[in-house]
Amino acid sequence: MACNHRGIDRRELLRNFGLGILGTSCARWLPSLAAEIAQDPRRRRHCILLWMSGGPSQTDTFDMKPGHANGGEFKEGATSVPGLRFSEHLPKLGKFGDQLAVVRSLTTKEGDHGRGTHLVRTGHSPAGEVAYPSIACSLAKEMEYESVLPNYVTVAPPRDVNPAAFEPGFLGARYAPAIVAGSGGPPSPGSASMTRAKPVDLKMEDLELPQDVSADQAARRLALWNTMEKKFLDGRHTNAFETHNALYRKAADLMTPDVRKAFDLSTESDKVRSEYGNGVFGQGCLLARRLVERGVPFVEVALGDGLGWDTHQDNFRRVKKLSEELDAGWATLMGELQERDLLKDTTILWISEFGRTPQINGNAGRDHFPAAWSCVFAGGGIKGGQAYGKTSADGATVEEKQVGIGDVLATLSTALGVPPDHENMTASNRPIKIAEGTPIHDILT
Amino acid sequence: MQLKRAYFWSLVAALGLAPFSIAIAADDSTEKTGASSESTARSSEQMAARVDELMGQLWAADKIEPAAQSADGEFMRRVYLDLNGVIPRVGDVRAFLADNNPNKRAELIDRLLNSPRYSTHMATTWRNRILPLGVDAQRGPQAVALQKWLRARFAKNLRYDNLVGEMLLTLGGDELGPALYYQANDVSPEKLATNTAELFLGVHLHCAQCHDHPTASWTQRDFWGLAAFFARVRAPEDRNNMMRMSYRLIDADQGDVMLPNSTKVVSPKYPGGDEATDESDHTRRLQLALWLTSPDNQFFSRAAVNWAWSQLFGHGIVESLDDQESVNNQLLSELADYFVKSNFDLRNLWRTLALTRAYQLSSSGDSTKPPEHFSRMIARPLSPEQLFDSFAILAPLDDAAPRSDYSDPNAPNTRLAESPLRTDFIRRMRPPPGDPAEYREGTLQALLLMNGKTMSDVTASGRSSVLGALEAPFMSDNDCVQSLFLAAFARQPNDDEAKSCLAVLADAKAPGERSKALGDILWALVNSTEFAFNQ
């Protein structure tokens, strides 16, 4: 395995896997593993990617232009760091200003949603013929560790914008994320809103039994499966057979109530759930906290069903609403991670496919703008309390410390302890780096 | 045989710069199919016997006792998956097991090689070989076009040398298929050299890309000399190419490759051979194709035979064609010679290999023997395509409903779409590159198989054809269990297995319960390790 941090023999671990439905429960080793993690000097790190689909307006969030015609309706709001100001609609997040590093000098070259999404998520424009993996897949692969939980969990990914940008590409399907969606089919714009009365429930794809299969029936199936497997494997000592069998056991473990509990947000208090916001994003942030607590290395949460941040019209009303949802989910997540002493090991990146024009168009909207936009780092490995780089007074150009998407991805990789120049080989033996760029050392600890 | 070959290439040469017409000529000419080759070459039975002799010598020399011959069902499931990409239907299994004809295995091989599924399976296999992992997702219609192009050629049993020649000489155009090889390699001379050397010469030239290695047999001159043959292929950035309406390739008069970090132009040179000259009337590509597919080019035939063997055995005859020390060199040489003498006849090659004793050995037995001794069959996991198509043997999985996506509705070749359900399943199951005998999936793939829609369809009593047949009133519990085992594994259950399954049925006597219980048994069989592997 790529990373066997704690020197546990993989075989041994697989053998010790409980079989949940089939026999021993795995509940026993979950806490013990957590204790082991805490003791490990090379402690585990986590990443939470907050993906803002559609392209949020930097001018109305993290790179305000007060006093300029491009500035728009919003006022600046203070943060816990003097001189560092965000939008007035991000007040809770402002309290964590000392943990946040805003990069205000990002320049990219793709102004189309599909192409921009591919560029930002893989580090490459879609023209090339290598199937580049999403940065999340390649980082999660390097951060992999033996656990019954998936290595990379993603909440409500807007895959349709550019499917390849959300996939493991040449790394192969086993590095694909476990997909979590709001229950009750694809979320409609209404259901994602945090103003709904009750919080949404989240479900991991294929984790639940098919509708027409009862728990008893599933137990009967697995029991028969187990009997037959034992007979088949008895006397056949082939590694590949054992791997297949162990994976199914692991999947069966994942389906046990004890483990599924990780995804069951109803065990959280109503107060906590509503603090995060009742929509998919807020509850996704809550799930991210629960998964990080349980050792999952990589979690992604998307905000903006489909292309929610694509505010060509009615920018200010929509951005205000989205900001409130963002503020509740993200700030509560920061606070809860901090309380649990997990923030120092968890790097958060807030990013999208591009920013929006500083100019306001005739529909009180802003359009696609890759030339000068912002992303935000927070938490583990990040020197917070600063804005890096600078745009011009009208926001149209980068004036200081311009960075490209490769630099941003290399920074994320470095913050997580993964060398960005680590190479994966394609099937035709072409080495591909995790990120091609220079880490922004000024914002790394 | 030489005559036919010369005839084909004289056509190529006469038509000069219009290989598109060559493709048509190749299609129409039955001269080039490899079917009528018995007069000069040994029969595949004779060649298979020669392979048995060589393997026997190897086993005797190393004092290895090979595994027993495979049981009929084991062999049947194996040869179905290898030559047709699916498991056999339960009715065919019953008929084959009951057949007393001593020649039934050879007859089965012939039936499979002449089935339409043979061409489809070979096209899938080659498409996956040619296209880098993940390219399918980005280029759905083009990949399907390549699949169709390949399929038509395997159906006609086009000679292997002509197939490769046609692919390398493609000018693209409306014929999207083989040009995807160039497109997927970015029309880059380095990438084309690397992949052409791997696919058709079986050697890893790219190691020599940056500098010579003291121990390797290939030099930097070899790598860049090969790349130079592709230096003049261009994909013009005209409107049609930009719009992806078609993909056109041209052979320009100019264009060279240079050594890395230098301005030294490298002239075309055949790997390990002579330099080519631009004085010739032939384009650089044509010169390469002529050299590459020549009967005298041992790398070409050895690479083809070694690859075909690895498809059937899970391990090549030799690990690398550069390895002169392998115990199997004699075997490889003789098979390669035979392939050339039999006019690069692919069907005949598969037939020969499938007839050998080694191929028909059981997979059970001592696993500690080195794999290159082939003293038992190596189990290999089913590919995502084999898995899905085998599920479809158990239950119809067609989904006619089109899925809305971001593809251009005005694009040509709209019929170049595959079942979205199948495409999605394959995408989610595609393993990373690696040892074909290893199981390279993850937990999410196991969950997909256990709880996903495909499995629900296979095990739903209203849908599964296998389960449907068990509803008949005359079917006893015993009959049902037997049918399910034949359907999934092409074998009878042993007493122990039958007992476990009968116990499940005994607990489910209500009519609704019974069909559910049968579905549960099928679920357990189809999710088993035995089902997941070709053994």
Side-chain angles (χ1 to χ4, degrees):
Chain A
M1 287 279 99
C3 293
N4 201 343
H5 290 301
R6 291 166 311 284
I8 299 173
D9 175 58
R10 174 162 179 264
R11 274 283 175 68
E12 190 65 23
L13 193 63
L14 288 176
R15 201 171 302 131
N16 290 342
F17 264 127
L19 266 174
I21 292 172
L22 302 176
T24 32
S25 156
C26 59
R28 259 177 303 140
W29 69 260
L30 261 179
S32 68
L33 204 60
E36 206 178 331
I37 290 161
Q39 286 162 13
D40 190 343
R42 289 170 304 166
R43 59 177 195 271
R44 296 208 40 71
R45 303 201 221 203
H46 313 272
C47 183
I48 299 175
L49 177 62
L50 303 177
W51 180 256
M52 303 294 114
S53 193
S57 160
Q58 70 285 354
T59 322
D60 303 313
T61 51
F62 293 102
D63 190 11
M64 307 285 288
K65 297 294 174 190
H68 193 280
N70 288 346
E73 299 175 6
F74 296 172
K75 293 191 186 64
E76 283 189 306
T79 72
S80 61
V81 176
L84 181 67
R85 283 183 289 273
F86 306 154
S87 137
E88 60 180 320
H89 301 301
L90 298 169
K92 294 175 187 158
L93 200 57
K95 297 195 179 112
F96 295 95
D98 60 320
Q99 295 287 334
L100 302 179
V102 180
V103 176
R104 288 178 174 159
S105 51
L106 179 53
T107 298
T108 51
K109 288 201 163 57
E110 299 288 357
D112 163 81
H113 290 292
R115 296 181 62 85
T117 298
H118 193 278
L119 173 66
V120 171
R121 297 188 60 93
T122 68
H124 300 269
S125 287
E129 299 298 336
V130 172
Y132 291 102
S134 131
I135 185 77
C137 295
S138 30
L139 287 174
K141 172 173 175 280
E142 298 312 313
M143 299 162 80
E144 180 172 34
Y145 82 121
E146 292 293 356
S147 159
V148 70
L149 287 167
N151 216 33
Y152 166 26
V153 177
T154 181
V155 181
R159 293 174 31 97
D160 282 351
V161 177
N162 185 321
F166 293 83
E167 280 176 14
F170 71 81
L171 296 178
R174 63 160 297 187
Y175 297 105
I179 296 175
V180 169
S183 61
S188 63
S191 73
S193 156
M194 63 178 288
T195 53
R196 63 184 1 252
K198 273 186 154 178
V200 294
D201 286 317
L202 301 177
K203 276 195 170 142
M204 187 182 134
E205 200 172 62
D206 297 328
L207 185 59
E208 313 276 327
L209 295 170
Q211 271 187 343
D212 54 349
V213 176
S214 67
D216 282 353
Q217 200 185 351
R220 186 166 68 191
R221 286 175 168 190
L222 273 174
L224 180 62
W225 176 86
N226 198 35
T227 315
M228 311 277 266
E229 284 287 281
K230 272 188 188 149
K231 284 169 191 157
F232 177 76
L233 293 173
D234 186 34
R236 283 184 173 88
H237 301 291
T238 303
N239 280 340
F241 290 166
E242 285 170 19
T243 308
H244 178 271
N245 183 267
L247 277 174
Y248 264 78
R249 286 160 173 266
K250 204 174 151 185
D253 268 358
L254 195 48
M255 289 172 65
T256 55
D258 275 342
V259 181
R260 261 193 316 194
K261 210 180 274 167
F263 295 90
D264 182 6
L265 302 180
S266 69
T267 55
E268 297 282 341
S269 75
D270 290 349
K271 183 171 164 294
V272 167
R273 290 194 77 176
S274 68
E275 258 176 60
Y276 273 94
N278 286 344
V280 171
F281 176 75
Q283 298 302 299
C285 286
L286 171 56
L287 178 64
R289 187 265 283 162
R290 292 176 63 88
L291 293 175
V292 165
E293 278 181 298
R294 286 163 173 78
V296 171
F298 206 107
V299 187
E300 174 174 358
V301 188
L303 171 57
D305 284 342
L307 298 171
W309 288 95
D310 196 24
T311 51
H312 292 284
Q313 298 100 26
D314 197 10
N315 173 72
F316 298 99
R317 188 190 60 83
R318 289 166 69 190
V319 171
K320 175 171 180 283
K321 207 158 163 269
L322 285 161
S323 296
E324 285 162 3
E325 195 171 350
L326 176 68
D327 195 45
W330 188 1
T332 311
L333 174 63
M334 298 280 292
E336 290 217 313
L337 288 175
Q338 207 166 41
E339 276 168 31
R340 289 162 173 77
D341 201 26
L342 285 165
L343 189 57
K344 66 173 179 16
D345 299 328
T346 307
T347 310
I348 299 174
L349 173 61
W350 179 88
I351 199 166
S352 53
E353 64 265 44
F354 40 59
R356 305 203 79 78
T357 47
Q359 301 85 356
I360 300 162
N361 67 24
N363 298 316
R366 298 185 192 267
D367 304 318
H368 304 178
F369 191 63
W373 53 294
S374 305
C375 66
V376 184
F377 285 91
I382 298 301
K383 207 184 285 172
Q386 61 169 323
Y388 178 90
K390 197 179 154 196
T391 50
S392 52
D394 61 358
T397 53
V398 172
E399 282 192 340
E400 285 173 21
K401 300 176 181 168
Q402 176 173 313
V403 296
I405 193 62
D407 305 326
V408 168
L409 300 181
T411 306
L412 178 64
S413 184
T414 308
L416 293 167
V418 178
D421 56 1
H422 175 85
E423 289 172 342
N424 286 302
M425 288 292 189
T426 68
S428 51
N429 283 312
R430 239 184 108 185
I432 305 290
K433 288 191 174 65
I434 295 212
E436 290 182 24
T438 313
I440 309 168
H441 291 292
D442 288 355
I443 66 167
L444 291 165
T445 52
Chain B
M1 183 262 317
Q2 285 295 339
L3 253 173
K4 282 173 194 158
R5 195 186 144 76
Y7 165 74
F8 175 75
W9 292 118
S10 69
L11 253 178
V12 171
L15 292 163
L17 294 169
F20 183 54
S21 334
I22 296 167
I24 295 170
D27 283 358
D28 293 344
S29 168
T30 49
E31 290 280 358
K32 285 163 300 308
T33 63
S36 57
S37 56
E38 284 86 28
S39 53
T40 48
R42 282 193 262 201
S43 72
S44 37
E45 276 84 0
Q46 287 168 326
M47 190 61 210
R50 174 61 186 155
V51 173
D52 291 346
E53 194 182 331
L54 288 168
M55 294 305 305
Q57 288 168 9
L58 176 69
W59 294 330
D62 290 353
K63 300 196 170 54
I64 283 175
E65 184 60 40
Q69 196 195 32
S70 54
D72 278 346
E74 185 185 10
F75 168 75
M76 186 190 201
R77 190 174 189 268
R78 177 189 305 166
V79 75
Y80 255 84
L81 284 164
D82 280 336
L83 299 182
N84 279 7
V86 290
I87 57 171
R89 291 182 191 279
V90 64
D92 294 332
V93 177
R94 283 187 205 281
F96 185 73
L97 295 185
D99 191 353
N100 288 322
N101 177 356
N103 205 30
K104 67 179 179 179
R105 291 194 178 194
E107 286 174 8
L108 175 61
I109 293 168
D110 287 335
R111 199 161 69 238
L112 296 176
L113 286 172
N114 288 301
S115 149
R117 280 190 186 272
Y118 161 78
S119 336
T120 305
H121 176 58
M122 285 302 147
T124 303
T125 311
W126 273 86
R127 161 184 170 181
N128 288 337
R129 258 198 110 191
I130 292 170
L131 297 184
L133 182 66
V135 164
D136 265 28
Q138 294 169 23
R139 311 220 164 277
Q142 289 98 318
V144 181
L146 175 65
Q147 164 108 13
K148 288 191 170 178
W149 185 89
L150 287 164
R151 193 181 179 287
R153 277 142 191 86
F154 287 118
K156 278 187 319 199
N157 199 28
L158 182 69
R159 295 167 55 126
Y160 175 71
D161 55 345
N162 289 3
L163 174 71
V164 174
E166 239 192 280
M167 194 180 97
L168 289 178
L169 293 174
T170 181
L171 290 186
D174 295 334
E175 186 196 25
L176 274 158
L180 186 54
Y181 179 62
Y182 286 90
Q183 198 182 20
N185 283 295
D186 301 335
V187 206
S188 141
E190 294 96 306
K191 290 180 198 169
L192 287 161
T194 301
N195 287 323
T196 303
E198 290 216 8
L199 286 171
F200 305 122
L201 298 173
V203 297
H204 306 293
L205 266 194
H206 68 273
C207 306
Q209 183 168 353
C210 310
H211 47 81
D212 293 346
H213 294 267
T215 55
S217 27
W218 302 101
T219 62
Q220 199 180 17
R221 178 75 183 90
D222 285 315
F223 177 84
W224 289 98
L226 179 59
F229 284 106
F230 295 107
R232 297 183 172 183
V233 186
R234 302 259 190 285
E237 299 206 335
D238 59 20
R239 190 171 170 281
N240 280 347
N241 273 11
M242 300 295 281
M243 301 290 289
R244 305 227 155 122
M245 307 284 280
S246 63
Y247 194 75
R248 211 158 57 78
L249 292 166
I250 56 162
D251 291 279
D253 291 338
Q254 306 223 310
D256 284 298
V257 291
M258 287 176 272
L259 286 181
N261 307 316
S262 92
T263 51
K264 187 175 168 355
V265 167
V266 185
S267 58
K269 172 183 172 298
Y270 305 114
D274 299 334
E275 299 210 6
T277 160
D278 288 326
E279 308 297 300
S280 156
D281 292 343
H282 300 337
T283 63
R284 284 189 180 182
R285 267 206 290 176
L286 180 51
Q287 294 185 67
L288 176 66
L290 287 169
W291 171 84
L292 185 88
T293 64
S294 153
D296 303 327
N297 182 359
Q298 288 197 12
F299 278 101
F300 183 65
S301 49
R302 287 163 71 109
V305 165
N306 198 44
W307 177 79
W309 182 285
S310 75
Q311 283 299 106
L312 294 199
F313 290 85
H315 192 277
I317 304 175
V318 297
E319 190 82 44
S320 150
L321 292 198
D322 294 333
D323 178 10
Q324 306 295 329
E325 307 295 309
S326 167
V327 291
N328 291 327
N329 256 328
Q330 178 73 17
L331 173 62
L332 179 62
S333 295
E334 291 196 23
L335 272 172
D337 284 349
Y338 176 68
F339 185 45
V340 176
K341 288 210 180 85
S342 57
N343 295 340
F344 295 99
D345 182 335
L346 285 168
R347 267 201 196 118
N348 186 65
L349 177 63
W350 294 118
R351 184 173 200 276
T352 306
L353 300 185
L355 283 172
T356 59
R357 180 180 170 204
Y359 180 73
Q360 300 194 13
L361 291 179
S362 171
S363 67
S364 51
D366 189 350
S367 62
T368 58
K369 302 275 163 41
E372 67 271 19
H373 281 71
F374 304 104
S375 58
R376 63 174 189 116
M377 180 49 74
I378 301 169
R380 301 149 277 153
L382 305 198
S383 69
E385 289 92 347
Q386 284 174 329
L387 204 50
F388 187 90
D389 296 343
S390 295
F391 288 156
I393 293 281
L394 301 173
L397 297 175
D398 300 326
D399 56 337
R403 196 176 49 169
S404 74
D405 59 24
Y406 278 69
S407 67
D408 177 9
N410 300 318
N413 297 309
T414 41
R415 277 175 304 159
L416 289 179
E418 295 181 313
S419 147
L421 190 68
R422 184 175 185 271
T423 308
D424 196 55
F425 180 86
I426 290 167
R427 175 181 66 78
R428 293 180 61 190
M429 290 296 295
R430 177 76 66 215
D435 182 346
E438 279 303 315
Y439 194 72
R440 288 163 289 145
E441 305 284 5
T443 336
L444 297 182
Q445 283 72 42
L447 281 178
L448 170 65
L449 290 172
M450 294 164 86
N451 298 333
K453 174 171 171 16
T454 312
M455 186 56 64
S456 293
D457 287 349
V458 170
T459 55
S461 45
R463 183 142 188 175
S464 161
S465 30
V466 170
L467 292 175
L470 305 183
E471 303 283 342
F474 54 80
M475 294 290 279
S476 71
D477 284 2
N478 249 324
D479 294 340
C480 290
V481 171
Q482 203 185 73
S483 285
L484 291 172
F485 269 76
L486 291 174
F489 303 147
R491 67 169 176 89
Q492 304 277 0
N494 63 34
D495 291 349
D496 249 11
E497 291 166 331
K499 223 171 88 189
S500 306
C501 294
L502 288 170
V504 170
L505 288 180
D507 287 345
K509 277 304 165 207
E513 278 301 299
R514 184 180 153 81
S515 60
K516 265 193 177 166
L518 287 168
D520 294 341
I521 296 172
L522 184 58
W523 185 95
L525 298 188
V526 172
N527 277 295
S528 68
T529 302
E530 183 170 0
F531 190 89
F533 283 81
N534 177 10
Q535 300 168 44

